[in-house]
Amino acid sequence: MNAGPESGRGVAAARPRRTEATIVLESRLSSIATFEGFVEGLGFLDAPERDRLTISGGEILDNIVKHAYPVLGDTVVLRASRRRPGGPLLLGFYFRSPAFAAFAAKEAEGSSEPLFDPAHRRWRGIGLAMCRNLARKVSFRPGLRMDRIFLEFGGREGGSKKEAI
Amino acid sequence: MTQLDITVHNDHHRLLLSVSGPINSYTFTDFQEKVYKAIAQADTAVDMEHVTALSSAGIGVIMTAMEDAETTGHGFAIVNPSEVAKLAIDSTGFGDRFPIVKNLKLA
């Protein structure tokens, strides 16, 4: 894992540098704790960014674990990256699942209103709305080799324009 | 912090739940059980100052607790939520409906 700003010398130090960190998680709910620890350790985030990533990233991971079964290889790769200091922040989820595209399509068509689940005695269906409100952009890109979900955040240099999926 | 800790105190005529750690999909059932049990018995305040994460599962429990409070006639309040808990509540788009107070005296 490569967390924290890269150190540079000479000409390289003067250029904006991409900063990123990657973690491989098992596709299970207990990995949410590992994910929260991963975000906590990202030195290139400020506190508000860390909070946004913790909440929205946890929601996406929860959805993958619950709705992408079976995840091939039982792993989800997460990568947090920023291309330049203060620039937009991207959190990518990479996994392989024959099931998730159908779930995502259903979610895209469905109501964004929360629903009460009497079996579990709690309100549900709030997570994706939370992600959309926390991130500038939420996107799902199914693929033959890999499914990908991206959360994009505005960064510290302004430009927090919202984009819907 | 990866573990959720919840302590329940009798605070005069109400129950005070002090929560620390993450309320996420992996941990929320303990939170759910203790909050529902408390609200069925008495006025309940949930101190969320030391909550390190709050997922939609936790939000869903709080929403149900708010309704249970109306049904039972008991009071319910969220006390001094951490920044991440406040952000999670606000991110629902209806954060103004949650009974948030800054301190116990206002609960």
Side-chain angles (χ1 to χ4, degrees):
Chain A
M1 186 169 70
N2 171 26
E6 296 176 29
S7 61
R9 289 183 297 232
V11 176
R15 292 203 313 250
R17 301 293 297 269
R18 183 186 180 96
T19 307
E20 67 177 43
T22 302
I23 189 170
V24 181
L25 298 172
E26 294 179 334
S27 180
R28 58 198 59 182
L29 286 178
S30 57
S31 293
I32 290 175
T34 312
F35 165 73
E36 288 168 356
F38 167 73
V39 174
E40 185 66 33
L42 294 176
F44 55 92
L45 305 184
D46 60 24
E49 287 175 329
R50 195 168 286 124
D51 288 347
R52 283 173 184 268
L53 254 71
T54 298
I55 299 166
S56 54
E59 294 297 331
I60 297 296
L61 185 58
D62 172 74
N63 270 276
I64 292 171
V65 171
K66 289 178 180 166
H67 303 293
Y69 184 83
V71 171
L72 303 179
D74 194 34
T75 56
V76 182
V77 177
L78 275 78
R79 183 170 299 127
S81 61
R82 193 199 302 279
R83 288 188 178 178
R84 59 185 185 279
L89 181 67
L90 194 68
L91 182 62
F93 297 76
Y94 306 83
F95 58 101
R96 253 187 104 191
S97 163
F100 197 81
F103 166 74
K106 197 175 167 187
E107 280 294 299
E109 289 172 4
S111 165
S112 59
E113 293 294 311
L115 296 168
F116 184 71
D117 177 353
H120 294 90
R121 283 211 67 224
R122 67 181 168 91
W123 285 84
R124 305 181 81 150
I126 314 162
L128 188 54
M130 290 168 70
C131 290
R132 286 175 175 144
N133 286 330
L134 289 165
R136 182 167 70 177
K137 187 177 179 182
V138 183
S139 56
F140 170 60
R141 297 181 199 165
L144 290 174
R145 290 180 53 238
M146 195 72 77
D147 295 317
R148 294 150 293 170
I149 298 173
F150 296 105
L151 293 172
E152 189 178 321
F153 302 87
R156 294 187 289 258
E157 58 187 13
S160 61
K161 180 174 168 277
K162 301 290 289 184
E163 290 182 35
I165 53 173
Chain B
M1 186 186 291
T2 58
Q3 192 178 334
L4 182 66
D5 290 312
I6 304 172
T7 55
V8 184
H9 307 278
N10 276 303
D11 177 59
H12 298 91
H13 57 281
R14 72 181 155 205
L15 292 170
L16 171 64
L17 278 67
S18 299
V19 185
S20 61
I23 305 173
N24 56 38
S25 297
Y26 189 59
T27 65
F28 82 94
T29 49
D30 189 29
F31 178 66
Q32 181 177 35
E33 185 184 314
K34 287 181 172 143
V35 170
Y36 290 178
K37 188 177 175 184
I39 202 72
Q41 294 173 348
D43 292 349
T44 300
V46 182
D47 184 342
M48 300 187 79
E49 183 180 1
H50 300 293
V51 167
T52 57
L54 178 58
S55 74
S56 62
I59 298 270
V61 168
I62 293 169
M63 289 167 65
T64 305
M66 288 159 57
E67 292 180 336
D68 284 0
E70 283 183 16
T71 306
T72 59
H74 291 140
F76 178 74
I78 297 165
V79 182
N80 194 23
S82 61
E83 286 299 318
V84 71
K86 265 192 291 193
L87 182 65
I89 289 168
D90 288 343
S91 74
T92 62
F94 44 89
D96 55 340
R97 297 191 202 169
F98 289 77
I100 297 172
V101 295
K102 284 186 179 177
N103 58 58
L104 264 179
K105 286 178 185 172
L106 299 172

Coordinates of all heavy atoms in Angstrom, one line a residue, chain B residues 31-97:
Chain B
F31 N -26.4 -1.8 18.2 CA -27.0 -0.5 18.3 C -28.5 -0.6 18.2 O -29.2 0.0 19.1 CB -26.4 0.4 17.2 CG -26.9 1.8 17.2 CD1 -26.7 2.7 18.2 CD2 -27.7 2.3 16.1 CE1 -27.2 4.0 18.2 CE2 -28.2 3.6 16.1 CZ -27.9 4.4 17.1
Q32 N -28.9 -1.3 17.2 CA -30.4 -1.5 17.0 C -31.1 -2.1 18.3 O -32.1 -1.6 18.7 CB -30.6 -2.4 15.8 CG -32.1 -2.6 15.5 CD -32.2 -3.5 14.2 OE1 -31.4 -4.4 14.0 NE2 -33.2 -3.2 13.4
E33 N -30.5 -3.2 18.8 CA -31.1 -3.9 19.9 C -31.2 -2.9 21.1 O -32.2 -2.9 21.8 CB -30.2 -5.1 20.2 CG -30.7 -6.0 21.3 CD -29.7 -7.1 21.6 OE1 -29.2 -7.7 20.6 OE2 -29.4 -7.3 22.7
K34 N -30.1 -2.2 21.4 CA -30.1 -1.4 22.6 C -30.9 -0.2 22.5 O -31.6 0.2 23.5 CB -28.6 -1.0 23.0 CG -27.9 -2.3 23.5 CD -26.5 -2.0 23.9 CE -25.9 -3.2 24.6 NZ -24.6 -3.5 24.4
V35 N -31.0 0.4 21.3 CA -31.8 1.6 21.1 C -33.3 1.3 21.2 O -34.1 1.9 21.9 CB -31.5 2.3 19.8 CG1 -32.5 3.4 19.5 CG2 -30.1 3.0 19.8
Y36 N -33.7 0.2 20.5 CA -35.1 -0.2 20.5 C -35.6 -0.6 21.9 O -36.7 -0.3 22.4 CB -35.3 -1.4 19.6 CG -35.2 -1.0 18.1 CD1 -35.4 -2.0 17.1 CD2 -34.9 0.3 17.6 CE1 -35.3 -1.7 15.8 CE2 -34.8 0.5 16.3 CZ -35.0 -0.5 15.4 OH -34.9 -0.2 14.0
K37 N -34.7 -1.3 22.6 CA -35.0 -1.7 24.0 C -35.2 -0.5 24.9 O -36.1 -0.4 25.7 CB -33.9 -2.6 24.5 CG -34.2 -3.3 25.9 CD -33.1 -4.2 26.3 CE -33.4 -4.8 27.7 NZ -32.2 -5.6 28.2
A38 N -34.3 0.5 24.8 CA -34.4 1.7 25.6 C -35.6 2.5 25.3 O -36.3 2.9 26.2 CB -33.1 2.5 25.4
I39 N -35.9 2.7 24.0 CA -37.1 3.6 23.7 C -38.4 2.9 24.1 O -39.4 3.6 24.3 CB -37.0 3.9 22.2 CG1 -37.8 5.2 21.9 CG2 -37.5 2.8 21.3 CD1 -37.2 6.4 22.4
A40 N -38.4 1.6 24.2 CA -39.6 0.9 24.6 C -39.8 1.1 26.1 O -41.0 1.0 26.6 CB -39.5 -0.6 24.3
Q41 N -38.8 1.5 26.9 CA -38.9 1.6 28.3 C -39.0 3.0 28.9 O -39.7 3.2 29.8 CB -37.6 1.0 29.0 CG -37.4 -0.5 28.8 CD -36.1 -1.0 29.3 OE1 -35.2 -0.2 29.6 NE2 -35.9 -2.3 29.3
A42 N -38.3 4.0 28.2 CA -38.2 5.3 28.8 C -37.8 6.3 27.8 O -37.4 6.0 26.6 CB -37.2 5.3 29.9
D43 N -37.8 7.6 28.1 CA -37.2 8.6 27.3 C -35.7 8.2 27.1 O -35.1 7.7 28.0 CB -37.2 10.0 28.0 CG -38.7 10.5 28.2 OD1 -39.6 9.9 27.6 OD2 -38.8 11.5 28.9
T44 N -35.3 8.4 25.9 CA -33.9 8.0 25.5 C -33.1 9.0 24.9 O -33.6 9.7 24.0 CB -34.0 6.7 24.6 OG1 -34.8 5.7 25.2 CG2 -32.7 6.2 24.2
A45 N -31.9 9.2 25.3 CA -30.9 10.1 24.6 C -29.7 9.3 24.2 O -29.2 8.4 24.9 CB -30.5 11.2 25.6
V46 N -29.3 9.5 22.9 CA -28.1 8.7 22.4 C -27.0 9.7 22.2 O -27.0 10.6 21.3 CB -28.5 8.0 21.1 CG1 -27.3 7.2 20.6 CG2 -29.7 7.1 21.3
D47 N -26.0 9.6 23.0 CA -24.8 10.4 22.9 C -23.9 9.9 21.8 O -23.3 8.8 21.9 CB -24.0 10.4 24.2 CG -22.8 11.4 24.2 OD1 -22.4 11.7 23.1 OD2 -22.3 11.7 25.3
M48 N -23.7 10.6 20.7 CA -23.0 10.2 19.5 C -21.7 11.0 19.3 O -21.1 11.0 18.2 CB -23.8 10.2 18.3 CG -25.1 9.4 18.4 SD -26.1 9.3 16.9 CE -25.1 8.1 16.0
E49 N -21.2 11.5 20.4 CA -19.9 12.3 20.3 C -18.8 11.5 19.8 O -17.9 12.0 19.1 CB -19.6 13.0 21.7 CG -18.4 13.9 21.6 CD -18.1 14.5 23.0 OE1 -18.8 14.2 23.9 OE2 -17.1 15.3 23.0
H50 N -18.7 10.3 20.2 CA -17.5 9.4 19.9 C -17.8 8.4 18.8 O -17.1 7.4 18.7 CB -17.0 8.8 21.1 CG -16.6 9.8 22.2 ND1 -15.5 10.6 22.0 CD2 -17.2 10.1 23.4 CE1 -15.4 11.4 23.1 NE2 -16.4 11.1 23.9
V51 N -18.8 8.7 18.0 CA -19.1 7.8 16.9 C -18.1 8.1 15.7 O -18.0 9.2 15.3 CB -20.6 8.0 16.4 CG1 -20.8 7.3 15.1 CG2 -21.5 7.4 17.4
T52 N -17.5 7.0 15.2 CA -16.4 7.2 14.2 C -16.9 7.0 12.8 O -16.2 7.3 11.8 CB -15.2 6.3 14.5 OG1 -15.7 5.0 14.5 CG2 -14.6 6.7 15.8
A53 N -18.1 6.4 12.6 CA -18.7 6.2 11.3 C -20.2 5.9 11.6 O -20.6 5.4 12.6 CB -18.1 5.0 10.6
L54 N -21.0 6.4 10.6 CA -22.4 6.1 10.7 C -23.0 5.8 9.3 O -23.0 6.6 8.4 CB -23.2 7.4 11.3 CG -24.7 7.3 11.4 CD1 -25.1 6.1 12.3 CD2 -25.2 8.6 11.9
S55 N -23.4 4.5 9.2 CA -23.9 4.1 7.9 C -25.4 4.2 7.7 O -26.1 4.6 8.7 CB -23.5 2.6 7.7 OG -24.3 1.8 8.5
S56 N -25.9 3.9 6.5 CA -27.3 4.0 6.3 C -28.0 3.0 7.2 O -29.2 3.2 7.6 CB -27.6 3.7 4.8 OG -27.2 2.4 4.5
A57 N -27.4 1.9 7.6 CA -28.0 0.9 8.5 C -28.3 1.6 9.8 O -29.4 1.4 10.4 CB -27.1 -0.3 8.7
G58 N -27.3 2.3 10.3 CA -27.5 3.0 11.6 C -28.5 4.1 11.5 O -29.3 4.4 12.4
I59 N -28.5 4.8 10.3 CA -29.5 5.9 10.1 C -30.9 5.3 10.1 O -31.9 5.8 10.7 CB -29.3 6.6 8.8 CG1 -27.9 7.3 8.7 CG2 -30.4 7.5 8.4 CD1 -27.9 8.7 9.2
G60 N -31.0 4.1 9.5 CA -32.3 3.4 9.4 C -32.8 3.0 10.8 O -34.0 3.1 11.1
V61 N -31.9 2.7 11.7 CA -32.3 2.4 13.1 C -32.8 3.6 13.8 O -33.8 3.6 14.5 CB -31.1 1.7 13.8 CG1 -31.3 1.7 15.3 CG2 -30.8 0.3 13.3
I62 N -32.1 4.7 13.6 CA -32.4 6.0 14.3 C -33.8 6.4 13.8 O -34.7 6.9 14.6 CB -31.4 7.1 14.0 CG1 -30.1 6.8 14.7 CG2 -31.9 8.5 14.4 CD1 -28.9 7.6 14.2
M63 N -34.1 6.3 12.5 CA -35.4 6.7 12.0 C -36.5 5.8 12.6 O -37.6 6.3 12.9 CB -35.4 6.5 10.4 CG -34.6 7.5 9.7 SD -34.3 7.2 8.0 CE -35.9 7.2 7.3
T64 N -36.3 4.5 12.7 CA -37.3 3.7 13.4 C -37.4 4.0 14.8 O -38.6 4.0 15.4 CB -36.8 2.2 13.2 OG1 -36.6 1.9 11.8 CG2 -37.9 1.2 13.8
A65 N -36.3 4.3 15.5 CA -36.4 4.7 16.9 C -37.2 6.0 17.1 O -38.0 6.2 18.0 CB -35.0 4.9 17.5
M66 N -37.1 6.9 16.1 CA -37.9 8.2 16.2 C -39.4 7.8 16.1 O -40.2 8.4 16.8 CB -37.5 9.1 15.0 CG -36.1 9.7 15.2 SD -35.4 10.3 13.6 CE -36.6 11.4 13.0
E67 N -39.7 6.9 15.2 CA -41.1 6.5 15.1 C -41.6 5.7 16.4 O -42.8 5.9 16.8 CB -41.3 5.6 13.9 CG -41.1 6.4 12.6 CD -41.3 5.6 11.4 OE1 -41.1 4.3 11.4 OE2 -41.6 6.1 10.3
D68 N -40.8 4.9 16.9 CA -41.1 4.1 18.1 C -41.4 5.1 19.3 O -42.2 4.9 20.1 CB -40.0 3.2 18.5 CG -40.0 1.9 17.6 OD1 -40.8 1.8 16.7 OD2 -39.1 1.1 17.8
A69 N -40.6 6.2 19.3 CA -40.7 7.2 20.3 C -42.1 7.8 20.3 O -42.8 8.1 21.3 CB -39.6 8.2 20.2
E70 N -42.5 8.1 19.0 CA -43.9 8.7 18.9 C -45.0 7.7 19.3 O -45.9 8.1 20.0 CB -44.1 9.1 17.4 CG -43.4 10.3 17.0 CD -43.7 10.7 15.5 OE1 -44.6 10.1 14.9 OE2 -42.9 11.5 14.9
T71 N -44.8 6.5 19.0 CA -45.8 5.4 19.3 C -45.8 5.2 20.8 O -46.9 5.1 21.4 CB -45.4 4.1 18.6 OG1 -45.2 4.3 17.2 CG2 -46.4 3.0 18.9
T72 N -44.7 5.2 21.5 CA -44.7 4.9 22.9 C -44.9 6.2 23.8 O -45.1 6.1 25.0 CB -43.3 4.3 23.3 OG1 -42.3 5.2 23.0 CG2 -43.1 2.9 22.7
G73 N -44.7 7.3 23.1 CA -44.9 8.6 23.9 C -43.6 8.9 24.6 O -43.6 9.8 25.5
H74 N -42.5 8.3 24.3 CA -41.3 8.6 25.0 C -40.5 9.6 24.2 O -40.6 9.7 23.0 CB -40.4 7.3 25.2 CG -41.0 6.4 26.2 ND1 -41.0 5.0 26.0 CD2 -41.6 6.6 27.4 CE1 -41.6 4.4 27.1 NE2 -42.0 5.4 27.9
G75 N -39.6 10.3 24.8 CA -38.8 11.3 24.1 C -37.6 10.6 23.5 O -37.1 9.5 24.1
F76 N -37.0 11.1 22.5 CA -35.8 10.6 21.8 C -35.0 11.7 21.3 O -35.5 12.6 20.6 CB -36.2 9.6 20.7 CG -35.0 9.0 20.0 CD1 -34.3 8.0 20.5 CD2 -34.7 9.5 18.7 CE1 -33.2 7.5 19.9 CE2 -33.6 8.9 18.0 CZ -32.8 8.0 18.6
A77 N -33.7 11.6 21.6 CA -32.8 12.7 21.1 C -31.4 12.1 20.8 O -31.0 11.2 21.4 CB -32.7 13.8 22.1
I78 N -30.8 12.7 19.8 CA -29.4 12.4 19.5 C -28.6 13.6 20.1 O -28.8 14.8 19.8 CB -29.2 12.3 18.0 CG1 -30.0 11.2 17.4 CG2 -27.7 12.2 17.6 CD1 -30.1 11.3 15.9
V79 N -27.6 13.2 20.9 CA -26.9 14.3 21.6 C -25.5 14.4 21.0 O -24.7 13.4 20.9 CB -26.8 13.9 23.1 CG1 -26.0 15.0 23.9 CG2 -28.2 13.7 23.7
N80 N -25.1 15.7 20.7 CA -23.8 16.0 20.3 C -23.1 15.1 19.4 O -22.0 14.5 19.7 CB -22.9 16.2 21.6 CG -21.6 16.9 21.4 OD1 -21.5 17.6 20.4 ND2 -20.6 16.6 22.2
P81 N -23.7 14.9 18.2 CA -23.1 13.9 17.2 C -21.7 14.4 16.7 O -21.5 15.6 16.6 CB -24.1 13.9 16.1 CG -24.8 15.1 16.2 CD -24.9 15.5 17.6
S82 N -20.8 13.4 16.5 CA -19.5 13.7 15.9 C -19.7 14.3 14.5 O -20.7 14.2 13.9 CB -18.7 12.5 15.9 OG -19.3 11.5 15.0
E83 N -18.6 14.9 14.0 CA -18.7 15.5 12.7 C -19.1 14.4 11.6 O -19.9 14.7 10.7 CB -17.3 16.1 12.3 CG -16.9 17.3 13.0 CD -17.9 18.5 12.7 OE1 -18.3 18.6 11.5 OE2 -18.3 19.2 13.7
V84 N -18.5 13.2 11.7 CA -18.9 12.2 10.7 C -20.3 11.8 10.9 O -21.0 11.5 9.9 CB -17.9 11.0 10.8 CG1 -18.1 10.2 12.0 CG2 -18.0 10.2 9.5
A85 N -20.8 11.7 12.1 CA -22.2 11.3 12.3 C -23.1 12.4 11.8 O -24.2 12.1 11.1 CB -22.5 11.1 13.8
K86 N -22.8 13.7 12.0 CA -23.6 14.8 11.5 C -23.6 14.8 10.0 O -24.7 15.0 9.3 CB -23.0 16.2 12.0 CG -23.6 16.7 13.2 CD -23.3 18.1 13.5 CE -21.8 18.2 13.9 NZ -21.4 19.5 14.4
L87 N -22.4 14.5 9.4 CA -22.4 14.5 7.9 C -23.2 13.4 7.4 O -23.9 13.6 6.4 CB -20.9 14.3 7.5 CG -20.6 14.3 6.0 CD1 -20.9 15.6 5.4 CD2 -19.2 13.9 5.7
A88 N -23.2 12.2 8.0 CA -24.0 11.1 7.6 C -25.5 11.5 7.6 O -26.3 11.2 6.7 CB -23.7 9.9 8.4
I89 N -25.9 12.1 8.7 CA -27.3 12.4 8.9 C -27.7 13.5 7.8 O -28.7 13.4 7.2 CB -27.6 13.0 10.3 CG1 -27.5 11.8 11.3 CG2 -28.9 13.7 10.4 CD1 -27.4 12.2 12.8
D90 N -26.9 14.5 7.6 CA -27.1 15.5 6.6 C -27.2 14.9 5.2 O -27.9 15.4 4.4 CB -26.1 16.6 6.7 CG -26.3 17.5 7.9 OD1 -27.4 17.4 8.5 OD2 -25.3 18.2 8.3
S91 N -26.4 13.9 5.0 CA -26.3 13.4 3.6 C -27.6 12.6 3.2 O -27.7 12.3 2.0 CB -25.1 12.4 3.5 OG -25.3 11.2 4.2
T92 N -28.5 12.4 4.1 CA -29.7 11.7 3.8 C -30.6 12.7 3.0 O -31.5 12.2 2.2 CB -30.5 11.3 5.0 OG1 -30.8 12.5 5.8 CG2 -29.7 10.3 5.9
G93 N -30.4 14.0 3.1 CA -31.2 15.0 2.5 C -32.4 15.4 3.3 O -33.1 16.3 3.0
F94 N -32.6 14.7 4.5 CA -33.6 15.2 5.4 C -33.1 15.2 6.8 O -33.8 14.8 7.8 CB -34.9 14.3 5.3 CG -34.6 12.8 5.2 CD1 -34.5 12.0 6.4 CD2 -34.4 12.2 4.0 CE1 -34.3 10.7 6.3 CE2 -34.2 10.8 3.9 CZ -34.1 10.1 5.1
G95 N -31.9 15.7 7.0 CA -31.2 15.8 8.3 C -32.0 16.7 9.3 O -31.8 16.5 10.5
D96 N -32.8 17.6 8.7 CA -33.5 18.5 9.7 C -34.6 17.8 10.4 O -35.1 18.4 11.4 CB -34.0 19.7 8.9 CG -34.9 19.3 7.7 OD1 -34.8 18.1 7.3 OD2 -35.7 20.1 7.3
R97 N -34.9 16.6 10.0 CA -36.0 15.9 10.7 C -35.5 15.1 11.9 O -36.3 14.5 12.7 CB -36.7 14.9 9.8 CG -37.4 15.6 8.6 CD -38.2 14.6 7.9 NE -38.5 15.0 6.5 CZ -39.1 14.2 5.6 NH1 -39.4 13.0 5.9 NH2 -39.3 14.7 4.4

